[in-house]
Amino acid sequence: MEYDVAIVGCGPAGLTAAIYSGRYGLKTVVFESLPSQLSTVPFIENYPGFEGSGYELLEKMKEQALKYADHVFDNVVEIKRDEKFFILKTKNSEYKAKTVIFATGGRHRELGVPGEKEFIGRGVSYCATCDGHFFRGKKVIVVGGGNTALTDAIYLKEIGCDVTVVHRRDKFRAEKALQEELFKRNIPVIWNSIVVRIEGKQKVERVILKDSVKNEEFTLDVDGVFIAVGTKPQTELAASIGVERDHMGYIKVDKKQRTNVEGVFAAGDCCDNPLKQVVTACGDGAVAANSAFEYLNL
Ligand code: NAP
């Protein structure tokens, strides 16, 4: 199984790279392991020409991209290099490719507080679209102040949860349009507060919060805790073949999405690009595929 381009990751960056690479006439394979984070976004309103759920958008992208590329539903566990090829190993097979595009995205960050790990699946969740329906008519908090936290809070309110946002500062970093949607729905916000611990018996019953201005702890009875405090890049595989990362673990790329390793490119949320949006991930994917084409043909 020899390819011109192997794309690791099947989110918007990887799928766009697959469309471009395949259409350039390059023999392309795209690897999918865990579902892209896009599949968990309840609604997308800032991707031009599309309004709907992240899952819906991802499925459309996949359908289109897989006309141009082979699809391997398996995790790449190791990459090595011989004189001519990168060798990508999955649990059961081996694939050879002349170039690699990492589009490995990110995974949710944890709060790291007592009770968080213990109550995963019993009141603690990182995915409002996956788990929100268990909490209809119940009291939940969403922790965070970014686009994900506000999108999740709005979604949870829409499906009938009694939702409160807990944010560590007195200002959201989420875009204004989402803030307006949140306030329009009268979703309460507990400002300047952090989660100290999560408590309960069989499942979550309460959170202990700390008001950082008053320096006081207080208790909130809740059934669910949705944690949306950002993402961490998945770049260990890239690092294993010498790809340079920044201090946060994001892959360093130039304007052509080239890494420091010849024949290796990266796109989307795993890169050190300043904006992490679906539309920019797609842009990165197109540029990375174009760069792979140039590398192979010039
Ligand atoms: P983010 O923008 O990094 O925001 C993370 C939030 O969590 C921040 O408000 C941060 O607080 C807070 N936080 C971080 N660590 C914390 C901790 N230990 N305790 C309490 N709070 C903590 O992450 P995101 O919202 O997941 O978004 C990630 C990227 O995806 C962003 O670029 C975002 O624009 C994009 N995104 C886009 C959409 C969309 O366009 N529809 C939807 C979702 C996400 P501070 O503000 O104080 O730092």
Side-chain angles (χ1 to χ4, degrees), residues 114-153:
E116 180 178 11
K117 272 206 179 103
E118 294 86 321
F119 288 110
I120 288 175
R122 295 188 292 136
V124 170
S125 171
Y126 301 88
C127 179
T129 44
C130 321
D131 302 324
H133 63 102
F134 295 120
F135 296 90
R136 282 176 210 268
K138 295 188 175 170
K139 212 167 159 47
V140 301
I141 58 166
V142 174
V143 186
N147 281 346
T148 303
L150 269 59
T151 306
D152 286 357

Side-chain angles (χ1 to χ4, degrees), residues 51-63:
E51 284 180 305
S53 73
Y55 178 80
E56 205 184 328
L57 179 56
L58 192 67
E59 286 304 299
K60 278 176 187 274
M61 285 182 179
K62 208 183 275 182
E63 193 185 336

Side-chain angles (χ1 to χ4, degrees), residues 38-222:
L38 176 58
S39 67
T40 69
V41 179
F43 54 87
I44 299 281
E45 288 175 331
N46 56 5
Y47 185 81
F50 175 86
E51 284 180 305
S53 73
Y55 178 80
E56 205 184 328
L57 179 56
L58 192 67
E59 286 304 299
K60 278 176 187 274
M61 285 182 179
K62 208 183 275 182
E63 193 185 336
Q64 189 174 353
L66 298 185
K67 290 179 193 162
Y68 303 107
D70 289 348
H71 181 216
V72 174
F73 201 75
D74 207 351
N75 199 15
V76 178
V77 290
E78 195 186 345
I79 302 189
K80 291 222 156 120
R81 192 171 196 175
D82 65 15
E83 270 169 25
K84 207 168 156 207
F85 290 102
F86 293 95
I87 300 150
L88 295 88
K89 290 187 182 175
T90 63
K91 208 168 147 201
N92 301 312
S93 292
E94 226 174 73
Y95 302 81
K96 289 182 171 187
K98 292 176 191 155
T99 62
V100 178
I101 298 175
F102 286 101
T104 41
R107 286 286 152 229
H108 63 76
R109 253 180 226 292
E110 284 127 33
L111 277 176
V113 298
E116 180 178 11
K117 272 206 179 103
E118 294 86 321
F119 288 110
I120 288 175
R122 295 188 292 136
V124 170
S125 171
Y126 301 88
C127 179
T129 44
C130 321
D131 302 324
H133 63 102
F134 295 120
F135 296 90
R136 282 176 210 268
K138 295 188 175 170
K139 212 167 159 47
V140 301
I141 58 166
V142 174
V143 186
N147 281 346
T148 303
L150 269 59
T151 306
D152 286 357
I154 293 163
Y155 170 74
L156 290 165
K157 175 83 176 183
E158 289 290 303
I159 64 166
C161 301
D162 177 0
V163 58
T164 298
V165 175
V166 175
H167 183 36
R168 66 180 177 184
R169 287 192 292 140
D170 63 354
K171 220 180 260 166
F172 286 133
R173 71 171 58 228
E175 60 191 32
K176 265 279 175 311
L178 282 171
Q179 297 190 32
E180 282 165 11
E181 288 298 318
L182 187 93
F183 296 131
K184 211 162 75 187
R185 288 169 174 78
N186 296 316
I187 296 174
V189 180
I190 299 177
W191 300 102
N192 297 311
S193 295
I194 56 161
V195 176
V196 176
R197 61 186 178 275
I198 301 167
E199 294 183 344
K201 286 196 185 95
Q202 297 307 314
K203 52 190 178 60
V204 169
E205 292 171 14
R206 71 192 81 83
V207 284
I208 313 303
L209 303 177
K210 183 174 180 182
D211 183 320
S212 50
V213 175
K214 293 183 188 153
N215 201 21
E216 272 173 13
E217 287 191 6
F218 59 102
T219 301
L220 199 67
D221 290 337
V222 293

